[in-house]
Amino acid sequence: MTERIVILGAGQAGAQLADSLRREGCEAEIALVGEEEVTPYQRPPLSKTYLMDSFDEARLPLRPDAFYADRKIDLHLGCRADSIDRTGRTVALSDGQVLPYDTLVIATGTRVRMPPIPGIDGDRVYPLRSIADSRAIKAALAGASHVVVIGGGFIGLETASAACTMGKSVTVIEAMDRLMKRAVSAPVSAFFHDLHAEKGVDIVYDARVAGINPQGRSSEVELDDGRVFVADLVIVGAGVMPNQEIAAEAGLICSNGIDVDDYAATSDPDIYAIGDVSFHPNALTGRRLRLESVQNATDQARALAKTLTGTPTPYTAVPWFWSDQYDIKLQMAGLAEGFDTHVVRGDPGARSFSVFYFKDGCLIAADSINAPADHMAARRILGQAKPALTPEEAGDPAFDLKTRM
Ligand code: FAD
């Protein structure tokens, strides 16, 4: 019987797991270990509303402080897990404590990937992952006029939209030929290009940053073709990498994250991994993947809580994600990987439309722009064993998607 559960990483997945374990009636000792000093909090606002003056910081914690004490969840904050002894079944913490476990869960998330650019470790260059990062960016933005964002993915574009809304001049430097290319199709990229361009954001494509050079009170971001952009601050949004070292050093199988099965179990049956750090099987794509989303972190944690309390529950949820840029909400359901047909529903000109993606005639994903009803319908339809929606139906705005739910 599991008497001691230790969770490494007090972020979205770790906090959800501790909560869900108690909801499922788990009576084991639960320790939640987090490197950051603060009560577990939500990250999505950090690249969005938090950067603007109006955001109330009290809204960030996922649960109130008292929640953990009330449920006898032993919080170890400001404390890093340094190593795992799988034979003795203990974890060594940075404050010198050694925690014994019967079940260990690794939920250590990801960290910002800092491209190997000369000068990227300079004073005016900011990664964005934590509340500390976001506070530093917010402070720097206050006195800035020119902002350069490296990376035209979700985080880069959200910070660009916040900075632009605050009246800054913003340049986004993107290595690929369109925005958010890893995640969305060309029509969606084109819509967001037009949106940012209309607001005055300068987007530079196919660009390689060769160096970031301090020049007095600002920096010069230099591309390998010689172009130079002056910045009071540089925000790096060039992707993330999984915090898997503690697992790899303990001999667990890791590739792009910690390899787990459908039940979040690693190659050691007493150790599980969830959230951004888990490299898990995905039925929609037929391969393992790592997802970086609130949905993935919470749903994987909820499924694992059931498994650990005696109801083995595979993680099969339909992935979904959102991004806010200006007054536009992008909502994504499913994974568009390998689609052979896509249809647009609604009118991009009216700033409310969806793109539905099909593979071999079967719906696999949908991206919705200011179209929440389409998004909710797509999620429900994708949850079916064999979604019945056809491309013709999806593309016909008069067709009621609810009839396929
Ligand atoms: P995290 O929440 O990152 O938590 C991991 C925790 O583990 C961290 O606190 C870390 O410090 C700690 N840790 C790491 N190593 C150790 C160690 N050795 N010992 C102890 N603690 C350790 N998702 C969406 O769906 N929609 C959005 O709009 C969205 N916006 C985002 C905006 C920003 C700025 C960021 C950074 C992320 C955003 N995400 C969004 C992604 C979402 O927040 C993550 O997918 C989610 O937080 C993952 O949860 P997690 O618990 O796996 O990792």
Side-chain angles (χ1 to χ4, degrees):
M1 192 180 77
T2 290
E3 289 174 347
R4 288 163 304 195
I5 300 175
V6 174
I7 305 168
L8 306 184
Q12 189 88 46
Q16 181 65 52
L17 177 64
D19 180 343
S20 297
L21 280 168
R22 289 292 186 240
R23 280 175 197 266
E24 297 293 336
C26 171
E27 290 179 358
E29 286 176 22
I30 300 176
L32 182 57
V33 180
E35 186 178 19
E36 296 180 72
E37 306 264 340
V38 289
T39 311
Y41 60 92
Q42 45 169 334
R43 293 178 202 278
L46 300 181
S47 50
K48 309 178 181 74
T49 39
Y50 181 84
L51 292 174
M52 319 227 218
D53 278 344
S54 50
F55 191 86
D56 174 7
E57 211 165 289
R59 285 171 48 206
L60 278 184
L62 288 162
R63 292 159 185 85
D65 283 359
F67 176 92
Y68 301 94
D70 290 349
R71 285 158 185 76
K72 294 194 167 49
I73 295 163
D74 194 9
L75 269 183
H76 297 253
L77 296 179
C79 196
R80 191 179 165 75
D82 283 335
S83 61
I84 301 165
D85 172 358
R86 286 170 55 199
T87 312
R89 298 211 286 187
T90 59
V91 181
L93 306 187
S94 56
D95 64 0
Q97 287 190 77
V98 175
L99 297 184
Y101 68 82
D102 299 303
T103 297
L104 181 67
V105 182
I106 305 176
T108 46
T110 52
R111 61 183 178 274
V112 176
R113 192 178 73 78
M114 296 298 267
I117 298 168
I120 201 155
D121 50 358
D123 279 349
R124 283 176 285 274
V125 185
Y126 298 84
L128 177 46
R129 179 75 197 170
S130 66
I131 184 163
D133 296 337
S134 194
R135 275 191 193 127
I137 292 174
K138 190 171 184 166
L141 270 175
S145 302
H146 300 281
V147 179
V148 168
V149 178
I150 299 178
F154 296 114
I155 303 278
L157 293 176
E158 288 173 1
T159 54
S161 105
C164 180
T165 304
M166 293 164 76
K168 316 296 175 189
S169 119
V170 182
T171 303
V172 173
I173 296 179
E174 168 53 46
M176 295 203 254
D177 59 356
R178 60 182 176 84
L179 297 176
M180 303 177 283
K181 189 171 184 177
R182 268 195 322 137
V184 303
S185 61
V188 179
S189 294
F191 174 85
F192 279 93
H193 170 93
D194 292 349
L195 176 70
H196 283 274
E198 213 173 82
K199 301 282 182 185
V201 173
D202 183 21
I203 305 173
V204 188
Y205 292 105
D206 297 312
R208 304 274 175 285
V209 180
I212 303 171
N213 313 311
Q215 288 294 338
R217 294 176 62 192
S218 51
S219 291
E220 287 183 355
V221 179
E222 189 181 350
L223 303 190
D224 63 358
D225 61 9
R227 278 180 288 176
V228 169
F229 300 89
V230 175
D232 301 312
L233 77 149
V234 179
I235 301 171
V236 182
V240 294
M241 43 204 286
N243 291 324
Q244 66 193 48
E245 289 76 6
I246 192 168
E249 282 160 17
L252 300 178
I253 297 174
C254 296
S255 23
N256 173 22
I258 304 171
D259 289 24
V260 297
D261 66 13
D262 288 325
Y263 297 88
T266 68
S267 49
D268 179 328
D270 295 327
I271 306 182
Y272 298 79
I274 55 173
D276 280 14
V277 78
S278 82
F279 190 48
H280 58 271
N282 175 270
L284 286 174
T285 58
R287 66 176 183 88
R288 272 172 202 274
L289 42 75
R290 239 177 18 75
L291 291 173
E292 297 152 14
S293 70
V294 168
Q295 169 278 319
N296 176 64
T298 51
D299 285 343
Q300 230 182 355
R302 288 188 182 117
L304 179 58
K306 287 192 191 310
T307 297
L308 294 180
T309 51
T311 309
T313 304
Y315 171 55
T316 55
V318 173
W320 57 266
F321 185 81
W322 80 94
S323 174
D324 298 325
Q325 297 170 39
Y326 310 100
D327 56 346
I328 300 293
K329 184 175 281 294
L330 166 64
Q331 293 171 294
M332 305 162 71
L335 296 164
E337 191 177 291
F339 69 91
D340 51 39
T341 306
H342 70 277
V343 294
V344 176
R345 178 185 176 89
D347 177 10
R351 297 185 163 211
S352 173
F353 70 104
S354 296
V355 183
F356 284 74
Y357 304 94
F358 294 82
K359 187 178 181 182
D360 301 328
C362 189
L363 181 71
I364 57 168
D367 295 339
S368 301
I369 285 95
N370 282 356
D374 286 359
H375 171 72
M376 291 313 294
R379 271 166 59 180
R380 296 277 293 275
I381 297 168
L382 284 163
Q384 297 163 357
K386 187 135 183 43
L389 187 73
T390 66
E392 293 69 31
E393 290 166 348
D396 174 3
F399 181 80
D400 185 359
L401 296 174
K402 289 206 272 309
T403 61
R404 290 287 177 262
M405 279 163 40

